[in-house]
């Protein structure tokens, strides 16, 4: 068996289709399913945290970015395991099993019925769901990150030397499958999440939204294993990243040992590694370090970019998703990014860059990356401007020790409300006092109508809202209101019955007691119809066109004539929480700017890294590039926690300002960067004079070793004598 046979295990019978190895079909399908699984799960993740686990926006954002950071840290581990121990094939299989288990655990964690013992639709033991979620996400991060550096390279291994053209085409198809999986999953999984499902009660279907990606991951694993007999499997050859790290470590340690002025300085600090490592390797490490130094400012771009799945998705939950022909879910807005990528990449490559070249502008890769960072900063400025428009539409909810109250007059006559003897409000018949009044301390309330006066001492609960119904005898009936905006675009409605008899109301409202209010009923956007029935059998049909995320109280006056065809006009509506009025379409400009920045920054960055990397160290720079994504997500956690800004628009401006600052620093670093040709530098070390120098150095090392050994032998002889 030859050395080549030891390095590579070829399939028993290689099958080609149209010049391409049949094995790549299994790899492309595997990648499509895996990317569908990852991006599908990630698309709904922050809403799962927010609405199922009931975390606030800040905690949901923090855990989301921690997960993404882990997904981009584990590729280093996967690359080391594949190259130094298991090989690419076994690494992909084993970690895909871990990945699949993680997706299944996530799907199980989202089943509310497993701890919903009282069957009210709310899990009774949220700790179980949180624990399962964290285990699932940890397994997913290990799986998706671990196989990330292996799959594309494994696909490239399937081609022989004479199939260079086919190999190039394969990588195009491979990345197309990534974008196709990402696009389809970000469209489909939010639709699945929006469905209602459950055993005992119907809730948003997160188990289905996580379950379908889990099923796709099972398919990915099965398809990949089916192709096992057709693969060319290369044996582990040692990891170049470890070799680079050892070389750098030796140079640092050797420099520290020789820090005295008695030792001559060297042109570059890596030259201290010459004593142990080959000059070619040292030169290659120098080239890598030169590029890695430029990577230092890059994480800030990813800090902003990855907030599309967290802060921007949460921003969309406060907006109106009615696009006429369809209602868009907040998490579906993320599909704008892959759609724009498919449009902008060919536009940039075929139109914009050639046009700039014709204008004789030196638009170098590093200049492109600088522009990309600036565009991302502009995207966050656009997000901040949009947030300033959204904020006035959000309810002013109580905080701290505050409580809020409004008065509702359910008698046929005007009502005067005096608070602490200073402020007096006039409330018309069957109407509300208007906006909520905010109080921190108990207050004296004086009520007056045409017949009598009554006074009360009122104390409000902290951070609570309430409506006080005032009947004809000036009795107070206090009912609790929502203290937050309805979730996921639902509308909370309730009815107040001013009749002295019971009313029955359809569409889930039920029985409403005399001079009382019904519980909240949640209805979706669109036309909602309610049939109000008296005990005598008379009925009235009332309909209301509902928006996104509102709350209404409907007052049924006892003067309403059920026999009239226009009886519905007597019902008075009180808007407790305004619906979302800013359209989700206004997020498109910020998505356009961010995606344009991504195309100019990310695609160019990968191209630049590849062109500046030594032939055997492309993977090292790929690992460094992925590491910048991980660090960027960690920066989100640090900045968001340290800043603690009360307004979301201010946080957007802070991130934009930081990126502009980093953009300037990167621009200065780029100005002093000198582009190199790694092949040309490497060729210098294959010249005859270099080979002669290498031989002389090796000969000198051998002479020194022989001299040391001879001296040791003499010392041994003397000691025996």
């Amino acid at each position: 068996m030859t050395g080549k046979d030891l390095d590579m295990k070829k399939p028993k019978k290689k099958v080609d289709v149209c010049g391409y190895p049949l094995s790549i079909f299994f790899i492309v399908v595997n990648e499509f399913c895996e990317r569908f699984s990852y991006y599908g799960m990630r698309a709904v993740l922050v809403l799962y945290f927010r609405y199922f686990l009931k975390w606030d926006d800040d905690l949901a954002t923090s855990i989301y970015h921690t997960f993404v950071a882990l997904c981009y840290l584990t590729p280093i581990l996967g690359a080391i395991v594949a190259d130094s121990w298991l090989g690419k094939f076994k690494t992909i299989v084993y970690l895909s099993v871990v990945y699949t288990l993680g997706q299944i655990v996530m799907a199980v964690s989202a089943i509310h019925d497993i701890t919903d013992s009282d069957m009210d639709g709310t899990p009774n033991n949220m700790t179980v769901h949180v624990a399962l979620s964290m285990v699932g996400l940890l397994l997913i991060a290990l799986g998706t990150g671990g196989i990330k550096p292996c799959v594309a390279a494994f696909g490239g291994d399937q081609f022989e030397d004479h199939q260079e053209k086919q190999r190039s085409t394969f990588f195009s198809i491979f990345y197309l499958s990534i974008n196709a999986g990402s696009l389809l999953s970000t469209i489909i999984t939010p639709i699945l999440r929006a469905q209602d499902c459950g055993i005992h009660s119907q809730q948003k279907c997160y188990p289905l939204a996580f379950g379908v990606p889990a099923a796709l991951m099972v398919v990915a694993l099965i398809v990949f294993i089916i192709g096992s007999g057709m693969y060319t499997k290369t044996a582990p050859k040692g990891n170049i990243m470890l070799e680079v790290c050892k070389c750098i470590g030796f140079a640092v340690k050797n420099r520290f040992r020789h820090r005295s002025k008695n030792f001559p300085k060297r042109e570059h600090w890596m030259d201290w590694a010459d004593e142990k490592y080959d000059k070619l390797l040292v030169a290659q490490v120098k080239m890598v370090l030169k590029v890695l130094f430029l990577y230092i400012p890059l994480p800030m771009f990813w800090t902003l970019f990855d907030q599309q799945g967290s802060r921007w998705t949460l921003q969309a939950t406060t907006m109106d998703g009615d696009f006429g022909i369809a209602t868009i879910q907040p998490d579906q807005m993320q599909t704008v990014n892959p759609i724009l990528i498919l449009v902008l990449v060919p536009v940039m490559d075929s139109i914009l860059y050639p046009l700039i070249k014709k204008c004789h502008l030196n638009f170098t890769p590093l200049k492109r990356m600088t522009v990309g960072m600036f565009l991302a900063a502009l995207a966050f400025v656009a997000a901040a401007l949009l947030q300033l428009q959204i904020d006035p539409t959000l309810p002013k909810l109580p905080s701290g020790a505050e409580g809020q109250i409004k008065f509702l007059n359910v008698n046929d006559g005007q009502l005067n409300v005096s608070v602490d003897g200073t402020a007096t409000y006039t409330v018309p018949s069957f109407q509300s006092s208007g906006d909520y009044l905010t109080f921190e301390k108990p207050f004296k309330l004086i009520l007056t109508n045409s017949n009598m006066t009554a006074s009360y001492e009122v104390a409000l609960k902290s951070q609570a809202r309430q409506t006080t119904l005032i009947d004809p005898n000036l009795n107070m009936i206090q009912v609790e209101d929502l203290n937050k905006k309805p979730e996921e675009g639902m509308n909370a409605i309730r009815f107040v019955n001013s009749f002295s008899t019971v009313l029955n109301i359809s569409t889930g409202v039920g029985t409403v007691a005399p001079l009382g209010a019904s519980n909240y009923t949640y209805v979706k956007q669109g036309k909602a119809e309610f049939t109000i029935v008296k005990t005598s059998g008379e009925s009235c049909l009332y309909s209301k066109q509902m928006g996104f995320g509102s709350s209404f109280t409907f007052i049924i006056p006892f003067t309403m004539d059920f026999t009239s065809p226009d009886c519905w006009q007597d019902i008075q509506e009180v808007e407790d929480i305004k619906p979302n009025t800013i359209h989700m379409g206004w997020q498109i400009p910020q998505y356009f700017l961010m995606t344009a920045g991504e195309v100019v920054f990310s695609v160019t960055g990968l191209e630049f890294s590849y062109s500046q990397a030594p032939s055997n160290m492309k993977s090292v720079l790929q690992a460094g590039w992925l590491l910048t994504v991980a660090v960027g997500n960690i920066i989100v956690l640090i900045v968001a926690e340290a800043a603690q800004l009360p307004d979301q628009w201010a946080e957007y401006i802070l991130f934009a300002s930081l990126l502009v600052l980093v953009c300037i620093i990167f621009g200065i670093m780029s100005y002093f960067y000198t582009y190199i040709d790694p092949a040309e530098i490497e060729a210098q070390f294959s010249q005859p004079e270099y080979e002669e120098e290498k031989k002389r150095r090796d000969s000198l090392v051998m002479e020194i070793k022989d001299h040391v050994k001879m001296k040791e032998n003499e010392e041994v002889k003397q000691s025996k004598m």
Side-chain angles (χ1 to χ4, degrees):
M1 185 176 287
T2 65
K4 188 174 181 180
D5 294 328
L6 291 172
D7 289 341
M8 180 176 291
K9 181 181 178 182
K10 292 190 176 183
K12 294 178 181 179
K13 186 177 180 181
K14 191 169 174 31
V15 180
D16 286 355
V17 177
C18 299
Y20 293 85
L22 181 60
S23 56
I24 67 167
F25 167 79
F26 299 94
I27 296 171
V28 170
V29 173
N30 167 270
E31 183 66 11
F32 169 82
C33 294
E34 188 276 325
R35 289 292 85 186
F36 186 107
S37 179
Y38 174 73
Y39 283 108
M41 177 277 304
R42 182 172 148 177
V44 301
L45 187 59
V46 76
L47 297 187
Y48 169 73
F49 292 155
R50 182 68 184 84
Y51 295 134
F52 186 90
L53 299 183
K54 304 298 181 183
W55 292 346
D56 60 27
D57 288 359
D58 290 335
L59 181 57
T61 300
S62 297
I63 301 300
Y64 174 88
H65 286 286
T66 301
F67 166 70
V68 176
L70 283 174
C71 290
Y72 284 93
L73 284 172
T74 49
I76 298 174
L77 177 63
I80 293 173
V81 169
D83 290 346
S84 305
W85 182 27
L86 294 177
K88 298 184 188 74
F89 175 76
K90 288 183 179 179
T91 301
I92 294 170
V93 171
Y94 294 159
L95 290 181
S96 291
V97 172
V98 173
Y99 191 169
T100 304
L101 289 174
Q103 291 283 32
I104 293 171
V105 171
M106 276 300 296
V108 172
S109 76
I111 302 174
H112 66 274
D113 290 299
I114 61 177
T115 63
D116 186 13
S117 56
D118 55 7
M119 303 181 188
D120 65 348
T122 303
N124 297 106
N125 191 346
M126 194 61 79
T127 304
V128 172
H129 297 276
V130 172
L132 287 173
S133 300
M134 296 304 101
V135 170
L137 290 177
L138 188 61
L139 294 175
I140 291 170
L142 181 61
T144 188
I147 68 175
K148 194 184 294 289
C150 302
V151 181
F154 186 70
D157 291 343
Q158 307 310 306
F159 295 87
E160 297 183 354
D161 294 341
H162 67 278
Q163 295 177 308
E164 188 63 36
K165 183 179 179 182
Q166 288 88 341
R167 180 188 283 116
S168 177
T169 306
F170 159 73
F171 283 114
S172 299
I173 297 171
F174 183 82
Y175 287 111
L176 180 62
S177 71
I178 292 175
N179 286 313
S182 168
L183 178 59
L184 287 176
S185 64
T186 48
I187 293 173
I188 293 171
T189 51
I191 294 174
L192 299 177
R193 179 195 64 83
Q195 307 306 308
D196 292 330
C197 65
I199 301 171
H200 304 305
S201 61
Q202 298 293 297
Q203 302 293 332
K204 293 300 179 186
C205 208
Y206 289 99
L208 184 60
F210 290 140
V212 170
L216 263 292
M217 197 57 223
V218 172
V219 172
L221 179 59
I222 292 173
V223 168
F224 187 74
I225 293 175
I226 288 174
S228 175
M230 303 180 191
Y231 298 140
T232 297
K233 302 169 187 175
T234 57
K237 298 179 181 179
N239 193 283
I240 189 64
M241 282 193 291
L242 292 178
E243 192 68 17
V244 169
C245 291
K246 288 178 182 178
C247 183
I248 294 172
F250 179 80
V252 172
K253 187 164 57 176
N254 202 30
R255 176 68 185 90
F256 183 77
R257 286 174 181 170
H258 300 85
R259 60 187 180 277
S260 171
K261 293 182 179 179
N262 296 329
F263 297 98
K265 290 184 178 181
R266 308 211 175 173
E267 186 178 347
H268 191 282
W269 63 271
M270 273 302 304
D271 292 334
W272 289 98
D274 283 350
E275 297 173 15
K276 183 176 180 180
Y277 291 92
D278 186 78
K279 282 191 175 183
L280 173 60
L281 177 64
V282 173
Q284 290 172 328
V285 172
K286 287 180 185 178
M287 289 185 272
V288 167
L289 290 175
K290 190 177 180 182
V291 178
L292 289 178
F293 177 71
L294 277 178
Y295 280 2
I296 293 175
L298 303 190
M300 201 64 214
F301 173 86
W302 302 112
T303 298
L304 277 68
F305 178 81
D306 278 331
Q307 290 189 60
Q308 292 176 94
S310 57
R311 289 299 196 200
W312 285 15
T313 298
L314 292 171
Q315 183 187 60
T317 63
T318 62
M319 304 176 74
D320 183 357
D322 183 11
F323 280 78
I325 58 174
T327 298
I328 301 299
Q329 299 298 322
D331 34 2
Q332 282 184 303
M333 283 302 294
Q334 297 175 57
T335 60
V336 175
N337 175 258
I339 290 171
L340 285 175
I341 285 177
L342 296 176
V343 174
L344 290 178
V345 168
V347 168
M348 294 284 189
D349 289 341
S350 304
I351 300 175
L352 187 61
Y353 292 155
L355 185 62
I356 292 174
K357 190 175 182 180
K358 283 187 177 181
C359 295
H360 303 292
L361 297 174
N362 187 22
F363 199 35
T364 62
L366 292 179
K367 288 180 180 177
R368 293 183 196 176
M369 294 173 68
T370 306
V371 171
M373 297 169 79
F374 184 70
L375 288 173
L378 287 181
F380 262 60
V381 172
L385 294 175
L386 179 59
Q387 191 65 44
L388 286 171
Q389 301 302 312
I390 294 172
D391 286 346
T393 70
L394 302 178
K396 302 295 187 292
L397 299 172
S399 61
E402 295 178 348
Q404 292 182 340
I405 189 173
K406 68 164 54 175
F407 304 98
L408 202 154
N409 180 11
V410 292
N411 62 90
D412 190 15
Q414 181 174 289
L415 176 71
N416 293 317
V417 180
S418 176
V419 179
D420 282 339
T422 56
T424 302
Y425 305 92
T426 299
V427 186
S429 176
F430 302 117
Q431 290 189 28
S432 163
S433 58
D435 292 335
Y436 285 90
L437 305 175
T438 302
F439 297 95
E440 291 187 0
K441 298 178 181 179
F443 60 93
K444 185 176 182 180
L445 181 65
I446 300 175
L447 304 174
T448 306
N449 63 14
S450 58
N451 298 320
M452 63 185 76
T453 299
S455 64
Y456 300 94
E457 289 289 335
V458 180
L460 300 178
K461 293 181 182 178
S462 298
Q463 299 184 26
R465 281 182 154 197
Q466 74 176 42
T467 291
T468 299
L469 312 180
I470 313 297
D471 70 7
N473 296 318
L474 299 186
N475 294 315
M476 289 177 36
I477 304 170
Q478 296 178 331
V479 292
E480 293 293 325
D481 295 355
L482 293 180
N483 61 357
K484 62 179 180 179
K485 203 171 179 66
E487 297 176 349
E488 304 193 54
M490 298 296 286
N491 300 278
I493 61 99
R494 66 182 175 186
F495 286 84
V496 171
N497 176 15
S498 66
F499 279 84
S500 58
T501 58
V502 170
L503 293 177
N504 288 300
I505 304 175
S506 66
T507 319
V509 177
T511 301
V512 187
L515 295 174
S518 69
N519 293 325
Y520 281 107
T521 299
Y522 291 88
V523 296
K524 296 180 179 179
Q525 184 198 28
K527 187 177 181 180
E529 291 187 338
F530 308 92
T531 302
I532 306 166
V533 184
K534 293 178 68 175
T535 53
S536 60
E538 296 172 315
S539 64
C540 180
L541 179 65
Y542 179 72
S543 63
K544 168 73 176 174
Q545 190 70 28
M546 307 303 298
F548 257 61
S550 65
S551 176
F552 285 92
T553 299
F554 300 116
I555 308 169
I556 305 173
F558 60 77
T559 58
M560 188 172 78
D561 182 6
F562 275 77
T563 62
S564 170
D566 297 327
C567 58
W568 58 271
Q569 293 185 354
D570 293 331
I571 296 176
Q572 301 294 317
E573 66 177 50
V574 177
E575 186 181 64
D576 299 324
I577 296 177
K578 295 179 179 179
N580 301 346
T581 54
I582 307 298
H583 199 274
M584 280 187 200
W586 286 107
Q587 279 197 322
I588 293 176
Q590 66 201 51
Y591 271 102
F592 176 82
L593 288 168
M594 182 61 77
T595 306
E598 178 192 4
V599 171
V600 176
F601 175 88
S602 183
V603 176
T604 305
L606 289 170
E607 176 191 336
F608 167 77
S609 301
Y610 192 88
S611 68
Q612 298 296 291
S615 57
N616 63 335
M617 295 189 184
K618 311 288 187 185
S619 60
V620 176
L621 285 184
Q622 177 69 14
W625 181 265
L626 294 175
L627 188 62
T628 65
V629 181
V631 174
N633 281 272
I634 294 171
I635 292 174
V636 178
L637 309 179
I638 297 171
V639 174
E641 288 298 322
Q644 291 292 316
L645 297 173
D647 297 312
Q648 186 56 54
W649 67 266
E651 185 180 284
Y652 288 145
I653 292 297
L654 173 62
F655 279 114
S657 302
L658 289 173
L659 185 55
V660 169
L661 177 62
V662 168
C663 184
I664 294 171
I665 294 171
F666 182 74
I668 295 172
M669 293 170 66
S670 302
Y671 179 78
F672 291 101
Y673 182 84
T674 304
Y675 291 86
I676 59 171
D677 183 353
E680 185 178 316
I681 294 175
E682 290 172 334
Q684 295 175 3
F685 293 91
S686 63
Q687 300 298 324
E689 56 269 23
Y690 170 73
E691 294 295 333
E692 289 297 325
E693 182 184 343
K694 185 179 178 182
K695 288 179 181 178
R696 284 197 300 272
R697 190 186 68 175
D698 292 343
S699 176
L700 180 62
V701 170
M702 290 299 296
E703 288 179 10
I704 293 173
K705 287 182 178 179
D706 291 341
H707 178 73
V708 171
K709 191 173 182 179
M710 188 182 300
K711 192 171 182 181
E712 288 176 350
N713 291 336
E714 290 178 357
E715 290 176 353
V716 170
K717 288 180 181 179
Q718 290 178 0
S719 62
K720 288 181 178 180
M721 290 177 62

